[in-house]
Amino acid sequence: MNAASHPAADQITAALDPSTDLSFQLPSPEDENLSEYEFQQQIETAWQVCDRFDLQTDIWRGRILRTVRDREKRGGDGRGTGFLNWLKDREITKSQAYSLIELADSADTLLQEGMLEPQSVNNFSKRAFVETAQSAPEVQQLVSDAAQRGEHITRREVRQISDEWTAMSSDLLPTELKEKAANNTIPTRYLAPLVKEMQKLPPPHQETLKTEITLNPDIDTLKQVTAEARYLAKYLEAAVQVQALNSDDLDLEQALEEALRIGCLNATADLVKQASQLEQAAAKLYSSWTQMNKLAERVYVDSGASTPHLRQLLNHLEPLTSQTLEVQLGDADSPLSHMVRLQLLSADGGGESSEP
């Protein structure tokens, strides 16, 4: 696939031709006869033109990169070496290249499927277009319709439309709440975060929260339930990762219910999250400590009387390789500084040798 294969290519070139747009004059920052409002209007207009120019440039860069990549696929070594060398010569990273190709693909899709007229692309800021391309097809259609009505589309508008669609199309929200959103009694910006958090939860928890907001469909309840859903998701995600909680005599759901009942869900979720992080840190610490001992042994064997400074380095590292690991927290001269000692044992319960 390349730029020439797209029937919209000539149209978009004409619609986005920046040759006249970029001939604007910026206002003088010293012009006292120019009101602040007029100054900001002129600056905003110039900024929007640059956004459109950036968008056009990046779409075409993406098409160029896609063409080079596809040519390499047809006649290259099969590993993409030629394409990577081409990127290297132009100081473009692989991630940047594929981001631009994705933008070009999205632009061509929106144009070819008739969602967007070429001239309507001028109504987008660059970031808004990228956000639109990454949105659900229904959101793309709604945003495209707004652009084709002549509305200027920024990322804020895209997110607002996305939030409205998320809220109004979700089965997780009760009808009463959707009706309030439809008549603007409750702003949709409160609904989208709730839906996103509830989607992470298993059905029983979704139903519990849905019942709660059905009984009290107001903003305060929405805020509370959104926070509740966030902590529930955090608890459930972290709990399954903590090996210390992997026990038949522990009922995680009952523990969760009790935390909800006494109002300490936030602290409980954070506690479980910290436990998960601590276990991971302990595993990483033990792995690093074991590796340090192996490396220290190798250096000790390779060194000798002719390398006194190397032996001195090993001596200074001994607090980190011994069975009782010692770490100074903070500057040694600070009154808040203190020593932490951790005893490390090998997997079989015996101690690792602190001496090489």
Side-chain angles (χ1 to χ4, degrees), residues 24-55:
F24 54 73
Q25 293 291 321
L26 293 176
S28 169
E30 300 174 359
D31 188 351
E32 297 180 357
N33 296 320
L34 192 67
S35 71
E36 181 64 21
Y37 175 79
E38 292 172 319
F39 177 82
Q40 292 296 338
Q41 285 292 102
Q42 292 183 34
I43 289 295
E44 180 63 22
T45 298
W47 189 267
Q48 289 178 13
V49 170
C50 291
D51 258 352
R52 294 197 296 270
F53 182 75
D54 280 349
L55 175 57

Side-chain angles (χ1 to χ4, degrees), residues 261-330:
R261 178 166 54 80
I262 65 174
C264 69
L265 175 60
N266 183 353
T268 304
D270 284 341
L271 172 65
V272 175
K273 184 71 174 177
Q274 287 295 323
S276 173
Q277 293 176 355
L278 182 59
E279 281 192 346
Q280 294 172 26
K284 187 174 181 180
L285 172 64
Y286 183 78
S287 176
S288 297
W289 177 73
T290 304
Q291 186 65 15
M292 271 198 70
N293 272 280
K294 291 178 180 177
L295 293 171
E297 182 177 1
R298 185 186 307 169
V299 173
Y300 182 84
V301 171
D302 292 343
S303 62
S306 63
T307 55
H309 296 291
L310 192 54
R311 283 296 179 91
Q312 191 174 12
L313 180 146
L314 289 174
N315 290 336
H316 279 77
L317 289 177
E318 188 175 330
L320 298 178
T321 57
S322 62
Q323 185 175 328
T324 301
L325 184 116
E326 297 182 353
V327 178
Q328 182 79 36
L329 299 184

Side-chain angles (χ1 to χ4, degrees), residues 2-21:
N2 53 51
S5 67
H6 296 286
D10 292 337
Q11 290 176 288
I12 197 171
T13 300
L16 295 176
D17 182 7
S19 57
T20 55
D21 285 346

Side-chain angles (χ1 to χ4, degrees), residues 195-215:
V195 172
K196 290 174 184 176
E197 294 300 334
M198 286 180 68
Q199 286 173 341
K200 303 174 185 176
L201 301 174
H205 292 292
Q206 291 175 347
E207 288 302 318
T208 300
L209 296 179
K210 188 174 179 179
T211 301
E212 196 170 335
I213 53 180
T214 300
L215 295 173

Side-chain angles (χ1 to χ4, degrees), residues 161-175:
I161 290 172
S162 178
D163 285 351
E164 290 174 356
W165 178 81
T166 297
M168 302 309 289
S169 64
S170 175
D171 294 332
L172 297 175
L173 299 183
T175 304

Side-chain angles (χ1 to χ4, degrees), residues 134-151:
Q134 295 173 344
S135 300
E138 295 85 353
V139 175
Q140 290 180 353
Q141 186 64 66
L142 292 169
V143 174
S144 298
D145 291 345
Q148 288 173 184
R149 291 195 298 269
E151 298 179 24

